[in-house]
Amino acid sequence: MKHIFKKGSNPSKPTLLLLHGTGGTEQDLLPLAEIIDKDANVLSVRGNVLENGMPRFFRRLAEGVFDEEDLIFRTAELNDFLDEAAEKYEFDRHNIVAIGYSNGANIAANLMFHYQDALKAAILHHPMVPRRGIDLPDLSGKQVFIAAGTNDPICPAQESEDLHSLLESAGANVTLHWEGHGHQLTMTEVKAAAAWYNN
Ligand code: MLT
């Protein structure tokens, strides 16, 4: 997968996995890594799917309606890529913290839905429930921060509530942060994510 890797100054820190929103690239979330943890490794990946020229991490049939078969395939592909990248760049495969926005947050959540040890923690900006009606692995010990907008037309508030309870039922420790805005990624929520990460 097309990506950027930047080695951090402190090898005991996690690797921050950056996953952009629809139409984004691996450049987009680099400033967030600086704010969350400037000493950590950064692995920023570009989605392998194109929708009218816009990169995404998996196909959708319509706005908010996911192509489940492709979502499953792309999630496996990303999980395999993380194995390869950990070997190539010599970072700890068990110490990855995802930071995703929108479509990137959705595939990060789906990594947790399918693979118990894919991520140690995740910061999900405006995610949806990636899949419903499946059994989640035991996510005890996993930490998740969800930032959601009360007026988000793309990820209705109920989606954030549902994702929160699904992850908690699987044993994860989840913090849900609300912004009184829509789908945009705000500096306030990034600062709240940084405070959560550094706590
Ligand atoms: C998705 O397709 O993953 C969500 O609808 C959010 C987005 O527009 O990227």
Side-chain angles (χ1 to χ4, degrees):
M1 300 183 78
K2 194 164 184 338
H3 66 278
I4 295 168
F5 179 77
K6 291 209 254 175
K7 196 159 186 59
S9 58
N10 182 343
S12 71
K13 291 294 187 90
T15 295
L16 302 179
L17 170 66
L18 307 182
L19 302 165
H20 61 78
T22 298
T25 73
E26 66 281 11
Q27 301 286 341
D28 289 15
L29 301 187
L30 294 174
L32 265 58
E34 279 289 307
I35 297 169
I36 302 290
D37 189 346
K38 61 177 179 31
D39 300 322
N41 296 323
V42 176
L43 178 63
S44 190
V45 184
R46 184 186 296 200
N48 260 350
V49 162
L50 281 179
E51 180 187 272
N52 301 322
M54 297 185 297
R56 283 179 55 86
F57 287 94
F58 56 89
R59 286 182 218 289
R60 61 181 165 183
L61 306 173
E63 175 70 60
V65 184
F66 301 156
D67 177 335
E68 288 214 23
E69 200 181 313
D70 191 60
L71 172 56
I72 293 164
F73 175 79
R74 298 293 170 191
T75 304
E77 180 182 55
L78 179 57
N79 195 46
D80 289 346
F81 172 74
L82 295 178
D83 293 344
E84 287 158 26
E87 215 170 293
K88 178 171 174 193
Y89 298 117
E90 301 179 325
F91 63 79
D92 181 357
R93 175 68 183 87
H94 299 291
N95 198 8
I96 298 179
V97 177
I99 304 175
Y101 169 58
S102 192
N103 182 242
N106 291 339
I107 198 155
N110 206 47
L111 272 173
M112 290 190 126
F113 272 34
H114 286 264
Y115 303 100
Q116 183 172 30
D117 291 320
L119 302 174
K120 187 179 87 166
I123 296 173
L124 306 175
H125 294 280
H126 304 268
M128 297 172 66
V129 175
R131 296 192 66 209
R132 291 185 186 264
I134 61 162
D135 288 331
L136 270 55
D138 178 3
L139 296 175
S140 306
K142 308 290 177 190
Q143 310 291 327
V144 182
F145 178 89
I146 298 174
T150 50
N151 299 310
D152 189 333
I154 294 168
C155 304
Q158 191 61 45
E159 287 283 323
S160 317
E161 303 278 10
D162 289 354
L163 183 60
H164 179 232
S165 50
L166 284 167
L167 289 168
E168 279 208 331
S169 306
N173 185 355
V174 189
T175 298
L176 179 52
H177 169 90
W178 287 103
E179 294 276 306
H181 302 289
H183 195 59
Q184 68 267 42
L185 177 50
T186 67
M187 189 47 83
T188 340
E189 74 191 57
V190 174
K191 291 215 164 122
W196 170 87
Y197 174 94
N198 289 301
N199 196 351

